Amino acid sequence: MSASVRVGERPEPQAGGIITAGLASAVMFALAPVIPILSVFAMVAPVPLIVQRLRRGLSSALLATLLAAAILAWTFSPGLALGFLLVLVVPGLLLGEAMARGRGLRRGCAWAFCFLAGQIVLGLIFAGPAVAPAALQVFDAFRSPEFLAELRTRIPAENVDEFAAQAKLVYSIMEVVYPAALVIMGALVVLANAGVLRYYLARRDPGWLEGGSSRGYAGHWASS
């Protein structure tokens, strides 16, 4: 069965869509802690919520967001759920809100990036000593004695010594430039979500990308 939404109409939330979007977003984000190599899916975890915003309205997207956050808080920790909301969901919903209001994908990217950049700046100002170790944790792991000892069992010792020297150099560089690296990561998160959203809309409803985003809720969406 198909359904269309006219301009000016506010669609009613549908439980099925809310549950599906919330579960999909939570599962995509949960892949990162469980299977780190699939962390790329965590970056685009807000996409189901953005689509819910465009398809069924802001109230449905917020309910799906609460469901996803509750699942993550129960499965992992409230802190991880809060990070999910601040770093991924809010920028994603800002992107979707810009699209729904007819401001376009580029304006949505700008809103989302400004929000992330503001968080980074505030974090560096008020929690700099705590932010630095977290930002450098990955680079520090590559020069840890445990990692180097394990590496020696796999490659020649002289190669390990060379790798250790390079890891130390990279760490010393990142100690200086990590704020810029955080900003770049924020930009990558925004671009990744915008890219996946654009691909989805191009396949499902190209009107949003061909000057039709100004229609607000207008458009035809297939649902069952």
Side-chain angles (χ1 to χ4, degrees):
M1 182 173 61
S2 63
S4 60
V5 181
R6 297 183 177 86
V7 177
E9 288 187 353
R10 188 173 296 275
E12 294 297 327
Q14 293 184 350
I18 292 170
I19 294 173
T20 300
L23 282 174
S25 184
V27 169
M28 291 171 68
F29 183 78
L31 288 175
V34 177
I35 311 174
I37 196 173
L38 298 180
S39 58
V40 64
F41 288 98
M43 291 180 62
V44 295
V47 170
L49 305 176
I50 301 172
V51 171
Q52 188 72 5
R53 167 64 184 99
L54 297 177
R55 186 174 185 177
R56 300 306 308 171
L58 182 58
S59 59
S60 291
L62 292 178
L63 289 173
T65 297
L66 290 176
L67 174 60
I71 292 172
L72 293 172
W74 180 75
T75 306
F76 296 100
S77 69
L80 187 69
L82 180 61
F84 165 73
L85 292 174
L86 293 178
V87 177
L88 293 175
V89 173
V90 174
L93 290 182
L94 285 174
L95 197 159
E97 190 67 19
M99 291 285 292
R101 292 178 178 273
R103 303 300 176 86
L105 191 59
R106 292 183 181 179
R107 182 68 63 85
C109 288
W111 289 4
F113 177 72
C114 286
F115 178 82
L116 278 176
Q119 285 191 87
I120 293 169
V121 171
L122 290 175
L124 293 173
I125 291 175
F126 296 104
V131 172
L136 298 172
Q137 183 177 6
V138 173
F139 303 95
D140 194 32
F142 285 124
R143 64 191 194 120
S144 66
E146 295 80 6
F147 179 81
L148 295 176
E150 181 180 354
L151 203 60
R152 291 182 191 278
T153 64
R154 301 181 180 181
I155 63 176
E158 58 271 17
N159 292 345
V160 175
D161 294 336
E162 182 179 353
F163 176 86
Q166 293 176 353
K168 183 178 180 180
L169 176 62
V170 171
Y171 184 86
S172 63
I173 294 173
M174 290 304 300
E175 280 185 307
V176 179
V177 304
Y178 79 88
L182 292 175
V183 173
I184 293 172
M185 283 300 299
L188 289 176
V189 168
V190 173
L191 291 175
N193 282 276
V196 173
L197 178 64
R198 183 180 181 85
Y199 176 80
Y200 176 88
L201 293 177
R203 292 177 62 87
R204 292 296 303 272
D205 193 352
W208 285 97
L209 304 174
E210 297 172 358
S213 59
S214 60
R215 63 191 176 176
Y217 287 112
H220 181 81
W221 292 86
S223 64
S224 58

